Amino acid sequence: MSTPAFHPHDHSHCVHGALSEADRLCNERGVRLTDIRRRVLELVWSSHQPLGAYDILDRLTAEGHKPAPPTVYRALEFLLEQKLVHRIASRNAFVGCTHPGAAHAGYFLLCTTCGNAEEIEDSAPLAKAVATAASKADFAVESQTLELAGTCRHCRHD
Ligand SMILES: [Zn+2]
Ligand SMILES: [Zn+2]
Ligand SMILES: [Zn+2]
């Protein structure tokens, strides 16, 4: 799956692709993508702008569901565990992963104009540099966050 976050595109393809990939992966892993987990994933994928837990809660409430906040948090936790979404630390929000089957650290470009987040596609060299730096410092890495804020090509040319 490509990541056209910074280009105009038919986003329904992104949503459809992400959901069918999630179905496939959960099936393969023997974990259940319950209705609420699937709906939360779909909401996270409603755009390329990271979505906060409270925005998700608001939208579910507007749809007539009355989910308790822990229900939403548990669904997000599941999606994080299954690496179907990434947490954007600087925005305390979540964004769908564009290649959830592959092991990778989520490194992101965040456009401060359109608000979109795009995962850095070729993240392997970065991950390698990070691992080397950590190992030189004899440091055991548990989590890592790389978020570059700036302006995407699309917004610069508008
Ligand atoms: Zn899209
Ligand atoms: Zn990812
Ligand atoms: Zn932009």
Side-chain angles (χ1 to χ4, degrees):
M1 234 190 312
S2 62
T3 48
F6 296 143
H7 303 273
H9 64 283
D10 181 354
H11 185 62
S12 66
H13 288 301
C14 301
V15 179
H16 185 255
L19 289 176
S20 53
E21 183 68 354
D23 285 331
R24 194 185 67 74
L25 285 170
C26 287
N27 202 27
E28 199 178 278
R29 294 167 183 168
V31 295
R32 255 164 51 76
L33 191 62
T34 57
D35 287 349
I36 182 77
R37 290 168 174 173
R38 200 171 195 282
R39 185 65 191 128
V40 169
L41 181 63
E42 199 176 14
L43 286 171
V44 169
W45 266 105
S46 59
S47 78
H48 290 280
Q49 297 177 357
L51 201 62
Y54 273 90
D55 298 317
I56 294 168
L57 200 59
D58 283 351
R59 295 201 197 178
L60 287 170
T61 306
E63 286 171 3
H65 303 280
K66 288 217 169 64
T71 310
V72 172
Y73 285 117
R74 275 198 302 268
L76 283 168
E77 223 165 85
F78 171 85
L79 297 172
L80 281 171
E81 272 167 22
Q82 297 301 320
K83 304 200 174 2
L84 297 170
V85 302
H86 291 286
R87 187 169 172 275
I88 302 296
S90 63
R91 296 199 196 158
N92 192 19
F94 302 86
V95 73
C97 176
T98 46
H99 40 300
H104 64 284
Y107 297 144
F108 283 90
L109 306 172
L110 305 176
C111 178
T112 52
T113 303
C114 63
N116 284 351
E118 183 165 285
E119 204 165 331
I120 295 174
E121 274 291 302
D122 185 17
S123 62
L126 275 171
K128 201 164 172 244
V130 169
T132 303
S135 116
K136 271 190 190 150
D138 194 14
F139 187 81
V141 177
E142 278 162 18
S143 70
Q144 48 180 316
T145 301
L146 181 67
E147 297 170 6
L148 309 179
T151 317
C152 76
R153 171 201 282 245
H154 187 63
C155 289
R156 283 200 320 273
H157 288 262
D158 267 359

